[in-house]
């Protein structure tokens, strides 16, 4: 198991380098720059700024300078937010983003698993139809649209919950953002769990357990749930990464103090350092989550062996 994990880490290094390279050149070749604004800077000031951030160098030299600093753990400075480097902004905003995503992840995973089991046990009955309808809404409606609808309904018209903003320690300000993030994730989990559970309930060993006189609850608890979780576990790593990246837009919509507001503004202002630093952060998170999912998958399924 440890040898497999080590090989996966080594195999991820070229992937990470390719991703960094592609993101770097896409950003630098896009029209505009961090110092293009409504009011043009004096040529001398602009030349000094470009020299300070190595933007006066050939593009390939800028790339090698960036990769060299990255290998030393330096994500570089922000070109728009004065006095902050990328690592500082990540330390400020990422804990809130991670907390928001983890809350949504835990809630959505629990709801999705339970809903999938209920739908599978009641296949082609009214609970199954209701859950399938709710799932389809969660999958089809994009989070920016559901966020606007929830803000309008519960925040503006009904005034049951805050429509946006953040007050430290306030759970009420997190209800709508977590709902927006958790709904699609719970919908996908429930679809996976339903399909997997239906397949497991029709397997030979489950029919044998029922023939021995075991009750339905014992059959589910001892024989059905664990193997049915395998497709769900495979999705959990990418699912958490989707929540982390999806939270960037949700934070911007609800005005939350996560890394999303820095990332969106940086993308609009061509702040190369923040966009690249955030992209690299999420890339390593996704690689780590995929490795963790593989290890958990091997633990759940004894037939899987990594030699």
């Amino acid at each position: 198991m440890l040898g497999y994990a080590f090989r996966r880490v080594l195999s991820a290094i070229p992937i990470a380098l390719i991703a960094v390279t592609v993101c770097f050149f896409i950003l630098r070749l896009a029209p505009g720059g961090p110092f293009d604004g409504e009011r043009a800077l004096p040529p001398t000031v602009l030349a000094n700024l470009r020299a300070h951030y190595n933007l006066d160098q050939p593009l390939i030299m800028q790339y090698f300078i960036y990769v060299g600093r990255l290998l030393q753990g330096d994500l570089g400075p922000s070109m728009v937010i004065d006095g902050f480097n990328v690592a500082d902004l990540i330390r400020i905003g990422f804990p809130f983003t991670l907390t928001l995503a983890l809350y949504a992840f835990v809630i959505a995973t629990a709801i999705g698993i339970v809903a999938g089991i209920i739908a599978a046990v009641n296949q082609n009955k009214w609970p199954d139809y209701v859950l399938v309808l709710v799932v389809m809404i969660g999958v089809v409606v994009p989070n920016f649209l559901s966020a606007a609808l929830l803000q309008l309904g519960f925040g503006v018209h009904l005034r049951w919950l805050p429509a946006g903003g953040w007050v430290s320690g306030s759970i009420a300000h997190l209800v709508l953002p977590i709902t927006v993030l958790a709904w699609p994730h719970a919908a996908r989990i429930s679809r996976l769990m339903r399909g997997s559970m239906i397949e497991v309930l029709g397997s030979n060993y489950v029919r044998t357990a029922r023939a021995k006189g075991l009750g339905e609850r014992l059959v589910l608890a001892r024989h059905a749930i664990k193997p049915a979780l395998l497709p769900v576990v495979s999705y959990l790593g990418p699912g958490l990464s989707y929540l982390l990246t999806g939270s960037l837009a949700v934070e911007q919509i609800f005005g939350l103090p996560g890394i999303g507001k820095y990332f969106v503004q940086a993308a609009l202002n061509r702040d190369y350092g923040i966009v690249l630093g955030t992209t690299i952060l999420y890339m390593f998170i996704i690689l780590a989550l995929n490795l963790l999912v593989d290890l958990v998958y091997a633990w759940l399924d004894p037939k899987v062996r990594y030699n």
Side-chain angles (χ1 to χ4, degrees), residues 9-30:
V9 171
L10 290 180
S11 65
I13 293 176
I15 298 174
L17 182 59
I18 293 172
V20 170
T21 304
V22 171
C23 291
F24 180 89
F25 284 103
I26 286 178
L27 280 174
R28 296 303 172 96
L29 294 174

Side-chain angles (χ1 to χ4, degrees), residues 20 24 57 85 99 113 143 151 157 167 218:
V20 170
F24 180 89
Q57 301 287 334
N85 57 40
T99 301
I113 290 174
N143 58 7
Q151 278 182 320
H157 292 305
V167 176
L218 286 177

Side-chain angles (χ1 to χ4, degrees), residues 24-251:
F24 180 89
F25 284 103
I26 286 178
L27 280 174
R28 296 303 172 96
L29 294 174
F35 309 121
D36 298 338
E38 296 180 0
R39 181 179 178 181
L41 294 174
T44 304
V45 175
L46 181 60
N48 290 334
L49 285 173
R50 290 179 60 84
H52 178 71
Y53 293 109
N54 298 309
L55 298 179
D56 59 339
Q57 301 287 334
L59 189 59
I60 190 66
M61 288 302 300
Q62 296 179 37
Y63 169 73
F64 285 120
I65 290 172
Y66 183 79
V67 172
R69 291 178 175 176
L70 186 62
L71 293 176
Q72 299 174 15
D74 183 7
L75 294 174
S78 170
M79 299 179 183
V80 176
I81 304 177
D82 188 34
F84 286 90
N85 57 40
V86 177
D88 292 334
L89 295 175
I90 290 176
R91 280 194 295 267
I92 293 171
F94 187 69
F96 185 91
T97 298
L98 182 61
T99 301
L100 184 67
L102 287 177
Y103 276 132
F105 177 78
V106 172
I107 294 171
T109 301
I111 292 175
I113 290 174
V114 173
I117 293 174
I118 293 174
V121 172
N122 296 278
Q123 185 182 7
N124 297 327
K125 298 179 182 178
W126 71 264
D128 186 20
Y129 297 141
V130 171
L131 290 172
V132 168
L133 175 62
V134 174
V135 163
M136 289 304 299
I137 294 174
V139 172
V140 171
V141 179
N143 58 7
F144 63 86
L145 178 57
S146 60
L149 293 175
L150 290 177
Q151 278 182 320
L152 185 63
F154 293 98
V156 177
H157 292 305
L158 297 176
R159 297 184 180 180
W160 291 353
L161 294 166
W166 169 246
V167 176
S168 181
S170 173
I171 301 298
H173 285 78
L174 294 178
V175 173
L176 292 182
I178 288 176
T179 302
V180 172
L181 284 175
W183 195 352
H185 182 72
R188 296 185 183 98
I189 290 291
S190 64
R191 289 179 65 188
L192 288 172
M193 191 67 191
R194 177 184 180 275
S196 179
M197 180 63 76
I198 289 174
E199 182 179 355
V200 170
L201 290 177
S203 61
N204 292 330
Y205 65 89
V206 171
R207 288 198 294 266
T208 301
R210 287 171 174 165
K212 291 180 178 180
L214 290 180
E216 191 66 23
R217 292 183 180 179
L218 286 177
V219 170
L220 290 175
R222 294 183 181 179
H223 300 282
I225 291 180
K226 187 175 179 179
L229 282 174
L230 291 175
V232 175
V233 171
S234 299
Y235 173 75
L236 290 182
L240 181 55
S241 65
Y242 295 155
L243 289 176
L244 285 168
T245 54
S247 66
L248 300 179
V250 171
E251 289 168 6

